Every structure is written in C-alpha cells, then in structure tokens.
Amino acid sequence: MITPFLSGMLSAWTAAQIGLGAFFVLAFWVSSREAEYLLFGLLCGAMAVTTGALAAAYGMADPGHRMMALQLSHAGVIAGAALNLDFVIRYARMRQPVLMVAIYSVAAVELLALNMRWWWRPQGLELIGSEILGSHVVHATLLPARAALVGYLVPVIELLVSPVLLLFAYRRGRREALGAFVGASVLCLAIGNDAALVARIVPDTLYLLPHAFLGYAFAMARTLLLRYRRTAVELEQTIGRLRLRTEELRRSDADLKLIQTELVKKQQLAAVGELAAAIAHEVRNPLAVIVNAVAGLRRPGGSKEDRAILLGIVDEETARLNRLVTDLLRFARPVKIKRSAVSLVELARRSQAACRESHQIDVSVPTDPDLRTIWVDPGLFRVVFDNLVDNACHAMPGGGRINIVAGRNQLRGAPALRIQIRDSGRGMTAEVLERAGDPFFTTRPSGTGLGLPIVQRILDAHGGALVLESDPGLGTTVNLLLPLGNPEQMAQGAVPRSA
C-alpha cells in the first residue's frame, strides 16, 4: 500500500511546485521584472517535471512507460540544476555571462544525449526493493552507461555549489539567505541519499530529492519574499528621505528667490546710484561753465566781444546739456520698434549728414536683394548709423574715409546680415575697447558716453548683435549683425522676398 501513497504524495508535491513556479513567473511579468523571479519560477517548473515523472513511474507497471518516465525525471534534474546555479549566482551577485553560456551549453548537450538514449545501458531498467516501516517498496531506476557517469557529475556539482554561494551571500550581509542556505544543504543531503539508493549502498530508503526540493523551494521563496519586503521598506524609507530633501530644497529655493529678489533690488539701487552719480558728474561740468559765463556777463564794463564769447559758451554748454538729456532719454526709455523695409544703401548714405566736410562715406552693398533691403525701424536705425558715423569721424580728426560694407554672416546659427562700419583712425586700446559699451564712458571731451550703449539697446531690440574690433593706430571696425528678412513675419510663417 505504500507505493500508491508515494505516487499520490509526489503528485501533490508536483502540484505545489507548479503553483509556486507559476506564482513567481507571474510576479516577474506583472511587477518586478527581476530575472531571479523568472529563473526561480522556471526552476520550480523543471523540478515539477522531475517529481511528476517519479510519481508516474511509481504508478506504472509497463517497463517501457517506466523508462520514459525516468528519462523525463532525469531531464528535469539536468535542466533544474542549470537553472538553480544561474539563479543562485544571480542572487549572490556573482554572475558572469561567459560562465552562464557554459552552464547552459553543457546542459543542452546532456539533454541531447538523454534524448538520443546514449545515456543508458541497453535494457538498463532495474527495480530496487526496499523495506520501509515494515512495507516493501519497489523503486525503478535506469543504469547509466559509463560515459553518463561523467555527465552525472555536472548537475551534482552544480547543486553542491549552491549552498556555498548562498553562504557567501549570507556572510556579505544578506541575512535572509540563511533559510535558503539550510534548504540547499538539505537538498545536497537528499542527492547523496538518492545516489546511495541507486548504487544500493543504502537500499532501504526513498528518493528524497522531490521532498527536499519542496522544502528548498519554500525556503527560497521565503528568502525572495523577505528580500522583496526589505527592498520595499528601504524604498519607502528612501521615498521619505527624498520627500524630506525635496521639502528642504523647496524651502531653500524660496529662501534663494527671496535673496535673489533682495539682491536685484540692491543691484538696481546700486545701478541707480551709479547712474545718478554719472549724470551729476556730466551735468555739473557744463553747469559750472554756464555759471561762470553768467557771472562774467554780470560784471560791468565788459566789452561786446567778451559778452559774445560768453554767450557762445552758454549756448554751447546748453546744447551739450540738451544732448545729454536726449541721449539719456533714449538710453532709459524702453525701445519699441516698428519694422519696415528700408534700403540699406539709402540709410547708409543719409549718415553723410553726420560727417564733416573732410570725411567721406563709401557704401559697398552686394546686388543680393536680401542684403540691400533690411527690415528695421527706420528712425531707430538712423540713430544707429548717425552715432557710429559720428564716432568714426571723431576717430579721424584730420579727415578720411568711412567704409560701410554689407555681407552675409551667421547669428545664433541662422543666416544674418553683417554691416561693417570701418574707420582708419587712432583705434582703441584693449582697456578702452573693453569699456566702450559702458554708459557714460567716453574718451571725447564733449561726449556723453551713451552713443554705443544706445546702439546696443537698439540692436538687441531688433534681435541683432554688436561686435567691436579695434587696434591702436589701425582703426576700428563696428560689426552690426541682423537676422535676414522680417523676423515678425517669419514667426507667422510668411516671409516675403525682399525686392
């Protein structure tokens, strides 16, 4: 009666192993996508094949059917040993791709030999009788060929290595691996028992591998679940720390914004103070000259020539103050542009009015219509050309030629128009060139120092750029870079061709 009981018990273990394997395969596909879960699920499936085949072998009377069942059982052991070693190596974090290829290649060769029936001796089925608890039990086994004895060593070694790796993982701090280590050790003892049964060293015993594997499977499942729980707890703690850090960063960001706001206010106040000091300095000089001139006019007995000179000084300084106020308003007022198509040649030639008689302007613009017509605010660009031409004239006090040359260039990776205004004057040193764009900085006795800053603001409003090149004694070149075409119409997707 014990043989049917063994068959039924092994069938129950088979169902349990299938269920456990299905659980971990489902866990792999649904959530974690960890290869260890998939490997353990496949391992349970392979051992379910072994256990189910043994259950069938106990319940079969036909020798051919028994032999087929035992071959299937051995195939499950070979595949399970390879899957188990891969699983344990991954769990211990010692995986080497080359080693994995070797393990599965050897398993494939062994399964091929098993399928081709090279593994067994002819008529290799043998029955072994055992006395267990006063009952007679008949075990079926297959006698391997001599070459197969070497093949048996591979899955045995693979299974014996498992507890060593699990102990290594335990000693490295993975405390949940202790249960799996105990289960793997029991599994190794079961392998020794089954080998002793086949070799008839210990005939009165049972095949213990299916029973030991079920214990190993549940121990390993507990290990994986404990690791999952520990990982979940660590993840929750990490999320809590991240939330705390996020809140700290949010508060730091708010504090930083407050500091930045205060800094901007202080910078604005400093800029206003600097601007006020510069304006006061620029205004004080002509005012002092005017006060002295007026005091001279009030003195009795002055000649008409002296009065005329003093009145001329008053007119000159008043005009200087007027220019200062005009430039200051242009610099401080927001730049609002109204684009229209303007002839570059005409715009350049009109700036001749800002020159003295001893200066001439040469304009060189290619016949390309996209370069001859520019989309700018005519009034503002008249200010740009007048300021730059006036600077060039003052750089050449003895007279000379100012060259205005147009061509194609690049601006921020897009096609652009380049307008060069060149003079052959005294040029600028590196120190002067570096400060040339600063408000109120000038090397001219009567200059306001706002000409280039105003030009810079107008170009910025048009989406352009200003680049200065100068060498002492060789002259200065001012480069104006502007986007080609009408940027406002480009933004709307309809760019008319310039004519």
Side-chain angles (χ1 to χ4, degrees), residues 267-289:
Q267 288 176 339
Q268 290 175 342
L269 290 174
V272 169
E274 185 178 350
L275 183 61
I279 294 173
H281 176 73
E282 293 296 327
V283 170
R284 182 180 289 115
N285 290 337
L287 282 179
V289 174

Side-chain angles (χ1 to χ4, degrees), residues 297-459:
L297 290 171
R298 286 177 176 173
R299 291 194 192 99
S303 63
K304 291 183 179 181
E305 291 80 4
D306 293 339
R307 295 176 66 84
I309 293 173
L310 292 174
L311 287 173
I313 292 173
V314 171
D315 289 338
E316 181 180 348
E317 296 302 321
T318 303
R320 180 179 174 185
L321 285 174
N322 185 55
R323 286 197 308 272
L324 175 62
V325 172
T326 302
D327 288 347
L328 184 60
L329 290 175
R330 282 177 178 169
F331 177 71
R333 187 181 296 140
V335 180
K336 296 181 181 180
I337 60 175
K338 295 182 179 179
R339 297 179 187 270
S340 62
V342 181
S343 170
L344 177 58
V345 176
E346 182 180 354
L347 191 63
R349 286 177 177 168
R350 282 184 181 178
S351 59
Q352 179 70 49
C355 293
R356 305 170 188 173
E357 294 182 359
S358 57
H359 296 85
Q360 294 295 323
I361 293 180
D362 291 337
V363 181
S364 175
V365 180
T367 57
D368 187 347
D370 288 338
L371 301 183
R372 298 185 72 87
T373 301
I374 59 176
W375 290 83
V376 295
D377 187 306
L380 293 176
F381 250 74
R382 179 67 184 273
V383 174
V384 169
F385 275 88
D386 287 349
N387 280 347
L388 295 178
V389 169
D390 182 62
N391 287 345
C393 290
H394 280 87
M396 299 184 295
R401 289 188 176 275
I402 302 169
N403 297 301
I404 299 178
V405 181
R408 286 183 177 269
N409 208 297
Q410 292 283 318
L411 178 63
R412 292 182 283 272
L417 165 68
R418 182 188 63 192
I419 305 171
Q420 291 185 322
I421 301 176
R422 306 171 184 163
D423 65 63
S424 57
R426 54 181 172 267
M428 292 182 282
T429 63
E431 293 78 9
V432 173
L433 184 63
E434 185 178 357
R435 296 195 57 196
D438 294 347
F440 300 106
F441 176 78
T442 180
T443 57
R444 289 158 49 182
S446 60
T448 63
L450 292 174
L452 279 178
I454 290 172
V455 170
Q456 181 69 68
R457 292 203 65 198
I458 294 173
L459 282 173

